[in-house]
Amino acid sequence: MVIRPRRLRRTQAIRDLAAETRLSPSMLVYPVFVREGRNVVEEIPAMPGQRRWSPDTLPRILEQAARAGIGGVLLFGVPERKDPEGSGAWAEEGIVQQAMRTAKREFPDLTLIGDVCLCEYTSHGHCGVLKGEGTGRTVDNDATLGLLARTAVSQAQAGADIIAPSDMMDGRVGAIRSALDGAGFQDTPIFSYAVKYASAFYGPFREAAGSVPAFGDRRGYQMDPRNAREALREARLDLDEGADMLMVKPGLPYLDVLRALREHTCVPVGSYSVSGEYSMIKAAASNGWLDEERVVSEAAVCQARAGADILITYFALSLAGWMREGKL
Ligand code: PBG
């Protein structure tokens, strides 16, 4: 007998019954930018609709996130002062630490994920401290590990429920795990940006977070877009060091990598739809060239179909709304 799949496409109800991929708000993570100051809600020009919030205005957006029933928020700090070490990243009164304390107090049930990296806090904009002189300057992997571990502990002390290192230094998951354990945070999971490519799609984020490298680029520590097998190696190393969840970043251009991770590991895998993916859709939609709701929904479904258990996206609040309305 011949199977005819199109029978399963006859009505919306049958299509829904037969769907292989189903999404829910609990799989969504919303990235939020926090900056210093009071009473600030600042538009991010390259990311229309996204804003930087000061600690006192932050509850407004967190309330929307809590009401949307999403899986968590990912906090990024935009500090006023920077230095070569990035000491603002682990300061007790650092911008993210202030934000975490406010968020925990006002929305104790909202899962807080702390992005751990130094690039927003270093005067040179690289993800770690530097060694060498002049044009020979490079990021000092091993000297950076202790600083990342301090940052992770200070975020956990301020209320972070999950620690997400995005710096791409080798050995950082192990360093962070042992520092968290030593400080009494044995139960705090690590969501590793294990597979983070050196991508031009991060452009708008670097404007949003003020983290453009002052010289060179990040190709010395982020992955080469030509490599997929290497992603499995990165993932395995992070799992051996104690990562609880893994992330692939960017999202849509790397679905093959996402699928490979889903097939070769057993932990939850996240797909990060980065700033450039957001801004492209926004720009096209504002010109009337794309239907924003349909494109964003399709992109989310495709990442889930490719293997994402978790979707990190600047469209999280819109997506949650469309899901509640039964549109996807
Ligand atoms: C920090 C970090 C970056 C992003 C997340 N964490 C920027 C970078 O690596 O340059 C990018 C997120 C986005 O583009 O949405 N290292």
Side-chain angles (χ1 to χ4, degrees):
M1 206 193 70
V2 185
I3 307 274
R4 294 186 191 283
R6 68 169 183 274
R7 282 180 196 139
L8 297 179
R9 295 179 211 138
R10 243 180 49 228
T11 66
Q12 187 60 43
I14 294 175
R15 287 193 290 275
D16 288 344
L17 180 69
E20 296 175 30
T21 306
R22 290 187 171 86
L23 275 55
S24 76
S26 63
M27 77 192 300
L28 299 172
V29 171
Y30 184 48
V32 175
F33 298 96
V34 201
R35 52 153 288 167
E36 262 150 313
R38 282 189 55 77
N39 205 20
V40 185
V41 181
E42 187 178 38
E43 300 289 332
I44 300 169
M47 301 177 71
Q50 301 304 307
R51 299 175 180 88
R52 300 186 197 93
W53 309 84
S54 53
D56 59 321
T57 59
L58 179 67
R60 295 188 210 164
I61 190 72
L62 296 183
E63 189 181 353
Q64 290 182 41
R67 247 191 290 126
I70 63 171
V73 293
L74 175 62
L75 293 180
F76 288 102
V78 186
E80 211 110 87
R81 276 187 313 280
K82 306 187 183 218
D83 59 32
E85 256 88 53
S87 63
W90 61 83
E92 205 185 323
E93 285 306 313
I95 182 62
V96 158
Q97 287 76 3
Q98 292 179 45
M100 295 264 180
R101 283 193 291 267
T102 305
K104 246 304 101 123
R105 192 180 57 236
E106 310 250 335
F107 301 96
D109 298 330
L110 183 63
T111 298
L112 302 178
I113 308 176
D115 180 271
V116 168
C117 190
L118 302 185
C119 68
E120 297 107 290
Y121 303 91
T122 52
S123 39
H124 44 76
H126 278 285
C127 301
V129 289
L130 303 180
K131 60 180 177 188
E133 296 293 328
T135 52
R137 282 177 299 175
T138 54
V139 171
D140 188 339
N141 186 91
D142 296 4
T144 302
L145 298 180
L147 306 181
L148 294 167
R150 269 175 88 169
T151 304
V153 169
S154 83
Q155 291 192 2
Q157 284 166 342
D161 299 296
I162 297 175
I163 293 297
S166 70
D167 52 280
M168 287 300 277
M169 298 302 123
D170 287 335
R172 93 275 204 201
V173 172
I176 289 172
R177 184 70 272 156
S178 63
L180 287 173
D181 291 351
F185 296 102
Q186 294 91 341
D187 293 337
T188 302
I190 296 179
F191 189 0
S192 176
Y193 289 68
V195 182
K196 179 171 173 183
Y197 286 89
S199 172
F201 285 97
Y202 307 149
F205 174 95
R206 292 182 187 169
E207 182 197 290
S211 62
V212 182
F215 66 91
D217 55 40
R218 303 207 204 290
R219 282 185 276 195
Y221 41 103
Q222 298 182 348
M223 282 184 56
D224 187 330
R226 293 174 294 189
N227 297 351
R229 291 192 298 270
E230 190 188 354
L232 295 178
R233 218 175 138 240
E234 288 279 3
R236 197 162 313 127
L237 290 168
D238 280 10
L239 289 174
D240 287 347
E241 291 177 27
D244 301 283
M245 304 188 273
L246 300 173
M247 202 185 302
V248 176
K249 182 177 169 202
L252 270 196
Y254 294 86
L255 295 184
D256 57 326
V257 178
L258 188 63
R259 165 51 64 96
L261 244 67
R262 176 62 294 143
E263 283 178 356
H264 291 94
T265 68
C266 294
V267 295
V269 174
S271 180
Y272 194 148
S273 273
V274 300
S275 55
E277 297 175 63
Y278 176 84
S279 301
M280 287 194 303
I281 293 175
K282 277 288 181 187
S286 77
N287 277 300
W289 297 334
L290 286 177
D291 178 328
E292 178 171 324
E293 180 180 326
R294 291 185 53 203
V295 169
V296 170
S297 302
E298 184 177 334
V301 165
C302 291
Q303 287 167 92
R305 187 204 60 226
D309 305 296
I310 299 167
L311 300 174
I312 301 106
T313 166
Y314 300 95
F315 288 113
L317 301 184
S318 306
L319 278 165
W322 299 327
M323 288 175 192
R324 271 198 314 276
E325 293 165 22
K327 290 178 174 165
L328 90 169

